Structure formats: structure tokens, C-alpha cells
Amino acid sequence: MTILNSGGTRTEFSLSLIFNMNVNKHSGYKDFVWAIELNRLCLEVVGLWPKINGAAKNTFVSDLRMGTIFFIVTFLSIIPLLCSLVRVWGDMILIVDNLQVILPLLVVSLKLIIIRWKRTAIALLVKMMVEDWMELKMDAERDVMIKRAQTARLIAYYFYDIDKSPQFEIALVIQAATMFLGGMTYTSVDAFLGLLILHICGQLENFKHRLTNLISSKDFDSALCNNVRTHLRIIRFANNIEDVFALLMLGLVFYFGIVFCLFGFLFVTVITGNEIGHMSLTRVCFLVIGIFTLLAHTFLYCGAGEIIAEQCEAVYSAICNLEWYKLEPRKKKYLILLMIRANEPFRITAGKIFPLTMTTFCSLLKTSAGYISFLLAKRKIEL
């Protein structure tokens, strides 16, 4: 099916096949296609976008793309780098240089596996997003979702001798392909998570505005019933996000901690030791950029969890601030149940062990700094 998005360009999409309704003329559906267009394109390139219509041919092509990328990243890059790691074992500087390449590639492989494994849950999330966009009734609610969507759109060594030809050319091509495909996989998954988080934040904000008008509704029971359904739907959406990304977040937390320790150790060693005279300016800049990139990435993950928690707190405050004393005793009891459930905020967790918040970010930095000190002390003893 070909439809027009908000930018006026033509876009192919096939979600309508599952809903059995003529949605291609629905303005909300067009807004949805515009909102997810960039995420869909990137995930389709790496074969991770769920095929909602269940076409076997399309699924096979996506699996083939994903399998090819996984083969290139794992067998043509990670395994040779692991062999090189064994060769340089004992030299801490070379080990750090090797690990700062291996670990991001391992994260790419982890993302490929988990997102492919959770494809059914992701398809359900996309379906719920379509329904949310099509259910928007007021312009104010649409403006909230458009604002959130705009924000979402804005987000080596080898086991053989590569000094000879054609090994050098082959290694160069493999490395370039790995960097491109790995970078696209890494970024597209993160961007899709950002889209989901901003979508649920928009839904929570609209839900909060609906709650403020609950007491003044002419039909209180009907309005309360609709709000409860909306709240349960948002809860299911949040639970699906948690189911898909919890294990991935746990791996990323360990990855950020380890890589930040390695970058920090290497940076301090270069600054305080004699190695700075033997290192090029490009490599020093790479270390600095790597440290700031890791900090920014970790901050965004934890900040996203903090934003969801704040939106949940805003919903709970909106319920508490309702003029409930104007209601009948029976209706007051209904509000108590809604208040109790809203008091439990949604959280993005790492492996369902601990939540990703700014407190977690600060704790991670503190722990990483401690391990950097340990590595520096160990190197000093070795020297």
C-alpha cells in the first residue's frame, strides 16, 4: 500500500492488512507513518523491522539480511579480533586497544539476536502505536504526539598478515562493511527504543490531561471507564517495552561500565605517562571523543528512564489533585483504585534487576572510576 506521509513523500507500508480496515486515508495513520519512517527504514535495512502482515517472502528476506550482517560482524570481525586479543595478552595497553573494538561489536551482535528474538513483541508494540495514533481525537493530543515524534526523529587486528596484498584490501573492505552495518544496527535499535519511550511519554501526557477533566465530565462512570482502559493499555505497552529491552539494557550497562573503564584507564595513562609523546593527535582525540560518546549514550539511556518515571509521577499527582471531595462516596472508591495503580511508576530496567535512572548513572560513574583506579594501580605494580 502506498500512502502520503506528513512530508508529502510516498511511503510503502503494509500494516493495514492486519487491521482489516481502510486506514490509508486516516490522517492519524499518515502521522504514524511519518513518525516511524526513519526508524522503519534503518531497521528494514538491517532486517529487524517486524513484518506485520506476516508475508513469508518478506520475512525470509529480512532474516537473510539480518543473518548476513550477523555473519559479517561475528565471524569476519569479532573472531579475528579475539584471536588477536590472545596474541597481545599480557600487554595492558594493547589489550585495552583491542577490547575497545571488540566490545561494541559484541553489543551489535547482542542487539541483532535480542531484537530478532523479540520480533513478535515488537510487532505488537508497533500495532499498539498505530492504534494510539488513530485514536487521537483532539488537536492538543495530536500536537503532543507530533512533538514527541519530532524529538524521536532527531535521535583492528586479525589472525592473518594484513600487510600484504590482497589481504590488506580484503581486510579494509571487511572492516568498512562491519563499521557501516554495525553502526547502523547499533543506532537503529537505540533510535527505535527512543521512539517507543517518547511515544509512551506522549500517551502519559495525554492521559494526564484527560484525568484533569474527569471530575467535570457529565458521564463520570463512562469517562472513568475510558481512562481505566487507557491506563491499562499504557501499562501493557510499557510491559512490552520492558520485555523486549530489559536483557539488552543489562548487557549495555555492563558494556558501558567496562568500556568506560578501559577508555578512562587509557586516557589517564596517556596523560600522566610517557606514552603521550608516542601517540598521534588523532588517537588522543579518538579517546576523548570515545569517552564523551559513552557518557552521552549512558546518560540518554538513564535519562529516558528518568523521563518515564517523571511522567508517571505527573499522572499520579494529577489524580491526587482531582477534586474528589465533590464526588459521591461510591465514585470516590473508584478513584482510590486508580490512584493505587498509578502510584506504581513504569520503569526501564536492566535485566529487571535495577531501574535506569539518573541515580543509576551516577552510581555507574562512581563504580567505573573505582575500577579505573584499580587498573592504574595494577599497571603501576607491573612496571
Side-chain angles (χ1 to χ4, degrees), residues 112-128:
L112 286 170
I113 294 172
I114 292 179
I115 299 302
R116 177 60 185 86
W117 174 31
K118 299 291 185 178
R119 179 176 290 182
T120 302
I122 294 176
L124 180 59
L125 287 170
V126 175
K127 178 179 179 293
M128 294 177 70

Side-chain angles (χ1 to χ4, degrees), residues 273-286:
N274 298 324
E275 288 84 355
I276 191 169
H278 304 286
M279 294 185 67
S280 64
L281 179 62
T282 303
R283 188 177 180 188
V284 175
C285 292
F286 175 77

